[in-house]
Structures are given as C-alpha cells and as structure tokens.
Amino acid sequence: EAPSQRKLYVKLERNQFNALFGDLDTGLSVTDLSRYERRFNGFKSEYRGDTLGYTVFAAESDQAFRRDELRGDGTSGLYRLSNAPIIANSESVRIEVRDRFDSGVVLSETKLNRFLDYNIDTLEGTIFFKKPVPSRDTSFNPVFIVIEYESATTGGDELVAGGRVSAASADDSVELGVTYVDDRTAGAESDLTGVDVRWQVNPQTLLKAEYAETNSIIGGVAQDGSAHSIELEHNSEKVDVRAYIREVDEGFGLGYQSAADKGFRRLAVEARGRISEHFSLDGEAGWQQNLATEDIRNLARAQLRYERNSFSTSLGLTHAEDKFEDGENRNSDLVEVGVSQQFGKLRLRASSMSELSDDTENTDFPSRFVVGADYNVLQDVNLV
C-alpha cells in the first residue's frame, strides 16, 4: 500500500529530517511568485532546523503541468478540462471569488477535497461537484473554478528538479529563502529562480518581499519575464492595514499565475478600522497600469458602516479614473448608500450608487440601484 507508481518505495525519517523515493508533492508552496506545486514519482528530501532548512526534489517524468480556470455556471457540472486523460490523484481544485472590478484580486478562496466535494473522471477529464457552483456571488463578483493537474506528454521521461533553501534568525523573525526549479519537459522546457524575504516586525506587523524570473521554451517559442512584490500587513485589535506593490510581466511564470494577474503593475493601500462597537470605516486607494498598453486606472474608495443586531447601513464615496494611451479619460465620482434589515428568515437589502458629477463615464463604476431579498426556505436552501 506504499504510495508509489513504481515498484520501489523508501522513506527515511529522523527528527527534523526526512527523505523518500516514491510518489511526492514538491511542496514549494511557501512563496507566491516562486510557487511550484506538482506531483511526481521520484526523490524528495526535507530538513527543518532551528535556523536552516531545505526542500529538494528530483524526478524523471513524462508529465506536464496544466492549469484550467473555468467560470461557474450555476450547476454542479459536468465541467470539462482542457486536457485528458490526467494523472490520477494529481489534481488540486479550489473555488475563487474575484473582484468584479479587478479580476486580479481574489476576494476569497476555498480548497476542495476529492470525493467529499467533487468527483473527477481522470480518463475523460471531467469534474462533477457535489453542489452547484454559482457564476457570481450576491455582490455580483465572478466565481471561478481553478484546477491544477498533471497530464501525460508524448515525449519520454525528462528530468525535473528543484528546491528551496531558507535561513532564519534565532527568534524566527527574519527569514531569507532562495528557490530554483529546472524543468526539462519536452516542448515545455523552463527554469525558475526566486528570492524571498519575510520579516515579522512585531506581533502585529509582517513585511514580505519577493523577486522571481522565469525562462521558458513553449512549443518552440521562447518567452521570459520577471515579477516582484512587496507587501506589508498590520493587524491589530482595531485597525487592519495592507499595502503592496506588485508587478508581473506578461511572459513570466510556469503556469501558476492567473491570466488576470499577468501584464500589470499595481500599487495599493487597503485599511479597515473599528471606530466604536457599531461603527467601522473601510478605505482603499490604488494605482494600476497595463504594461502592454500603458493604460492607467486610479481608484479611491471610502465607506462608513453601522451595524447593530439585525440592522446595518453604509455610506461611501468612490472615485475611479481610467487614463488611456490615446489621451482619453473616463471618470466616475459616486456616492453609495446601503441599508439591510433582517426579519427572522427574511433579509431585505437595498443600495444605491449615484453620480456626484454629471456623468459616470467609467463602465466598471456605473450609477446603479439594487434591491434584494434573501429568504431561508429550509436549513440548506436559500432563495435570493
């Protein structure tokens, strides 16, 4: 019953060290830009000391990594993958809700488990979920099914190797990591190099920085690119702040980056503060540039919320400005008012975004009026 596609399985463990030959998960998931999560049959070793650590792997494989992003359509399926058959037990499935105004921002992520949440046919390349996957949430944000998996290639076995080495301070407040991956899969040769730093400034404040670059030859076409990000998070009892700078070249990546994240440079600050028991204030300011067209979007939003028992209301202001390469500008200045009241199993809600200036030119930020009702018909059934 050893997990190995081959006839041999060996695993050695001692304290904080282990080494195995068999089915493995590369496990390079600590970072974002240098993430490399695949499943092979080969060699892997890990060590976690007080200050030093490493993860290394090597495998000869005829597999290729695939990533599909499918929009939910309100049903349980069937949803069809772009490649079939797929390698058994190689898939990773999650549901992502993305911001309707900026699809590069993931609002929530839910990882799913095989058999418990879905069934997959590895021969046909189809997946069926145990419950429907909506196309949008109640705030009209799009819902995506993200599936990462392995499929067989027509070439022979090729070497795939890599790892991450890290060094941390004695109190683990600072960590420096280096990642390298060499993938020689026929028709998709590529390599990745990345450096990352984590600094726990204090119990409430975390600073992360990362730089990575990739070089690939996909179907005989060479492409390369780099990406970097700096992120600061501060979480206290009354104030949460997140600030980040992020840039991802169009040619960067080994298939793990969302298509909506490539080719953009972003700078943003998000904050949430609790003024009192019932009042809270949210705000964000962001700048985004399309690296290919040099189009720019400026966005500033602020919202004051009041929540008490089953009643809530909000008042907000939004400024959105798009600057295009040909000199055209499209602006929207809006005031937003919302109210919600719970009556037992019934919740009534209404919101309005009205223009402060004469026009709402930005198509992503129009003036609109929304009324809604949510009714809990049964324990597991809601009418929206």
Side-chain angles (χ1 to χ4, degrees), residues 290-352:
N290 186 310
L291 298 178
T293 63
E294 297 188 354
D295 296 342
I296 291 175
R297 166 168 290 182
N298 296 310
L299 175 65
R301 305 175 72 180
Q303 185 180 69
L304 178 65
R305 293 182 58 85
Y306 173 82
E307 296 176 313
R308 187 184 185 109
N309 300 327
S310 59
F311 175 78
S312 66
T313 185
S314 62
L315 175 65
L317 296 173
T318 298
H319 170 74
E321 178 184 14
D322 284 353
K323 297 181 179 180
F324 297 94
E325 188 179 15
D326 59 6
E328 180 185 4
N329 287 359
R330 296 180 183 175
N331 301 322
S332 288
D333 293 303
L334 303 164
V335 57
E336 180 178 4
V337 179
V339 63
S340 172
Q341 177 68 56
Q342 187 81 29
F343 300 96
K345 294 184 176 182
L346 176 66
R347 182 169 72 96
L348 300 178
R349 50 189 167 84
S351 64
S352 172

Side-chain angles (χ1 to χ4, degrees), residues 32 104-106 206 208 230-235 239-246 268-272 283-285:
D32 177 22
V105 176
V106 178
L206 174 65
K208 296 187 294 184
I230 302 174
E231 181 176 346
L232 177 67
E233 286 189 18
H234 176 82
N235 299 292
V239 178
D240 295 331
V241 179
R242 176 174 176 258
Y244 65 89
I245 302 172
R246 183 180 179 90
V269 178
E270 303 168 357
R272 167 173 288 187
E284 66 173 304

Side-chain angles (χ1 to χ4, degrees), residues 77-297:
L78 289 171
Y79 294 93
R80 189 169 297 277
L81 307 183
S82 60
N83 291 271
I86 74 172
I87 305 299
N89 302 317
S90 69
E91 81 279 356
S92 172
V93 183
R94 63 183 182 271
I95 303 295
E96 290 185 355
V97 179
R98 299 178 182 173
D99 193 306
R100 59 179 293 225
F101 304 122
D102 185 355
S103 57
V105 176
V106 178
L107 301 177
S108 67
E109 176 182 299
T110 305
K111 293 187 177 181
L112 305 183
N113 297 310
R114 192 177 189 183
F115 302 123
L116 182 64
D117 299 309
Y118 67 89
N119 289 321
I120 190 168
D121 187 325
T122 57
L123 295 178
E124 297 294 329
T126 57
I127 186 168
F128 185 84
F129 294 91
K130 296 298 181 71
K131 63 180 182 180
V133 181
S135 61
R136 295 180 181 271
D137 67 3
T138 54
S139 298
F140 306 109
N141 297 303
V143 178
F144 285 84
I145 305 165
V146 181
I147 309 169
E148 297 173 344
Y149 58 96
E150 304 280 337
S151 66
T153 64
T154 56
D157 289 349
E158 301 290 347
L159 178 66
V160 182
R164 180 177 183 268
V165 179
S166 63
S169 60
D171 60 356
D172 197 36
S173 61
V174 179
E175 181 183 67
L176 172 66
V178 178
T179 302
Y180 179 75
V181 174
D182 184 11
D183 187 344
R184 300 182 185 178
T185 302
E189 298 90 344
S190 57
D191 63 72
L192 177 148
T193 305
V195 180
D196 62 275
V197 177
R198 174 186 58 83
W199 179 24
Q200 191 73 50
V201 182
N202 55 49
Q204 294 81 32
T205 308
L206 174 65
L207 176 66
K208 296 187 294 184
E210 189 174 354
Y211 174 84
E213 59 182 31
T214 59
N215 297 278
S216 306
I217 301 177
I218 308 298
V221 179
Q223 62 181 41
D224 57 73
S226 63
H228 62 265
S229 69
I230 302 174
E231 181 176 346
L232 177 67
E233 286 189 18
H234 176 82
N235 299 292
S236 62
E237 184 177 349
K238 290 188 175 182
V239 178
D240 295 331
V241 179
R242 176 174 176 258
Y244 65 89
I245 302 172
R246 183 180 179 90
E247 180 178 331
V248 181
D249 289 345
E250 185 66 37
F252 172 79
L254 303 184
Y256 291 93
Q257 272 64 43
S258 168
D261 195 32
K262 285 188 174 184
F264 284 94
R265 181 183 294 120
R266 292 182 171 92
L267 170 64
V269 178
E270 303 168 357
R272 167 173 288 187
R274 181 159 292 280
I275 302 173
S276 65
E277 181 182 358
H278 303 294
F279 283 95
S280 62
L281 181 65
D282 299 344
E284 66 173 304
W287 177 87
Q288 173 181 294
Q289 183 180 37
N290 186 310
L291 298 178
T293 63
E294 297 188 354
D295 296 342
I296 291 175
R297 166 168 290 182

